[in-house]
Amino acid sequence: MIPKRLTYGDTIGVVSPSHVAERERYWPMLEGLRKLGFHVKEGKNLYRDTYGYLASEQERADDINAMVQDDKVRMILFGGGEGGNEVLPLLDYAAIAQHPKIFLSYSDGTSILNAIYTRTGLETYYGQTPGIFSAIQPYDEAQFRAHFLEGGVTRLTPNSPWITLTEGVGHGTLLGGYLGNLALMAGSAYLPLQDCRYILFLEDHERFSPIARVSALIAHLEQGGLCDRVAGLLFGHYSSPVNPWLLERLRRFGQRHQVPVAYCDDFGHGDNHAILPIGRRASLDTTGSGCLAFQDEDSHD
């Protein structure tokens, strides 16, 4: 299920399931969205800190559910932090399926994006956060316009050199996000193992996870069975320069599972924020310079 594209003048709903938003910090983000040609609706509980570190689970879920029910809201945008998985049992998945709209986030938003796709079949979008709209960069803006205004995106447009770790071509459903979040939810009721093949995209960052933790999280995914269904892996920005130990760990993954694996700086907690459609059929080809191709959204429901 594919949500309708945006048109200029549409309303974007901004919520914060993973951190307490600060008005002074959010003001330039919301202004950036308005300068792009959109109206902005703030969640009722966007700035609440009921628990001191977050609004309550119910308050955060209420904001998302209210945006879902508001027919004027065409996109629901939220950033990262911690604790987004707490709202998963409180989301109205039936309403989300009945009122499909664009969900866009990254980092801790991984949990919500993948749960919505798994529970409803609605394609969701990983890679951008309200923070980038304070002073959006040309590559990020081009990604936003291509996916949500123009449509017809059939591949990830690179903005960095790709590093091939294992060669090959893989086909499957695109799934992934921030490594820690995906590892937490894989195999749960919100991301059950399905009898299909996946093109997995993952990202993490050295300021959050040393290489040993990255390796342990990948091992957790392997031991839980998800990686038995992986047909290819693309890993996003981790450090600059890229850490050679990460590359070696990814190479071992590709060799063990006999799937294509590549590293790039096109998405993640870096300078580039490419958008990856969770739930889209995709192909990862690492036999040349590297390519992640998407099935045209107009060719399937």
Side-chain angles (χ1 to χ4, degrees):
M1 182 164 48
I2 306 296
K4 292 182 179 179
R5 297 173 194 156
L6 295 175
T7 58
Y8 293 109
D10 281 344
T11 297
I12 295 176
V14 177
V15 297
S16 185
S18 304
H19 66 270
V20 177
E22 299 174 355
R23 292 182 187 275
E24 296 78 9
R25 190 166 66 90
Y26 261 64
W27 184 85
M29 304 178 196
L30 305 184
E31 282 300 297
L33 290 167
R34 294 183 182 108
K35 288 178 181 177
L36 286 180
F38 302 99
H39 297 293
V40 176
K41 180 177 179 178
E42 299 169 60
K44 177 182 177 182
N45 301 304
L46 180 62
Y47 304 109
R48 292 205 178 190
D49 61 350
T50 304
Y51 290 159
Y53 57 92
L54 283 172
S56 73
E57 297 95 323
Q58 192 64 61
E59 287 169 333
R60 288 175 278 151
D62 285 347
D63 275 1
I64 295 174
N65 291 333
M67 294 294 183
V68 169
Q69 294 285 358
D70 187 342
D71 289 335
K72 292 183 179 179
V73 173
R74 298 290 301 280
M75 169 185 280
I76 301 174
L77 174 66
F78 49 99
E82 297 283 352
N85 61 337
E86 296 173 343
V87 310
L88 299 185
L90 303 173
L91 297 181
D92 190 341
Y93 297 101
I96 291 170
Q98 291 168 4
H99 305 274
K101 52 192 66 181
I102 299 167
F103 283 83
L104 173 63
S105 185
Y106 94 144
S107 194
D108 196 67
T110 295
S111 301
I112 295 172
L113 295 177
N114 282 280
I116 288 173
Y117 164 66
T118 300
R119 285 296 187 95
T120 70
L122 176 67
E123 182 174 287
T124 58
Y125 301 89
Y126 186 90
Q128 297 192 351
T129 178
I132 73 168
F133 293 93
S134 297
I136 193 166
Q137 300 301 304
Y139 177 75
D140 297 350
E141 183 174 348
Q143 283 284 296
F144 184 91
R145 294 184 188 279
H147 280 271
F148 304 129
L149 290 160
E150 299 163 4
V153 178
T154 57
R155 59 172 290 170
L156 189 157
T157 301
N159 202 38
S160 72
W162 283 33
I163 301 173
T164 293
L165 286 316
T166 52
E167 289 192 349
V169 180
H171 309 278
T173 299
L174 200 59
L175 189 77
Y178 187 70
L179 174 58
N181 290 93
L182 202 77
L184 278 173
M185 70 184 309
S188 73
Y190 300 100
L191 190 61
L193 298 180
Q194 299 181 12
D195 187 18
C196 64
R197 300 286 280 173
Y198 295 110
I199 298 298
L200 194 63
F201 69 90
L202 297 172
E203 60 105 349
D204 207 324
H205 196 275
E206 62 179 349
R207 72 178 184 268
F208 306 130
S209 303
I211 295 298
R213 175 172 169 77
V214 171
S215 183
L217 291 170
I218 291 174
H220 178 75
L221 290 175
E222 291 177 311
Q223 293 164 12
L226 174 63
C227 293
D228 294 335
R229 294 163 170 79
V230 169
L233 170 62
L234 179 63
F235 206 99
H237 177 80
Y238 176 79
S239 62
S240 184
V242 61
N243 189 304
W245 296 112
L246 173 64
L247 297 182
E248 181 56 34
R249 179 61 176 93
L250 296 175
R251 183 177 291 110
R252 293 200 304 272
F253 179 94
Q255 292 171 344
R256 178 178 300 139
H257 298 281
Q258 298 185 321
V259 296
V261 177
Y263 174 94
C264 72
D265 288 316
D266 295 331
F267 65 96
H269 289 72
D271 294 331
N272 300 316
H273 300 96
I275 293 169
L276 296 112
I278 294 171
R280 182 83 59 86
R281 292 287 300 173
S283 299
L284 178 64
D285 185 347
T286 62
T287 59
S289 58
C291 174
L292 179 64
F294 309 134
Q295 182 177 347
D296 188 335
E297 67 262 35
D298 291 331
S299 66
H300 67 295
D301 294 332

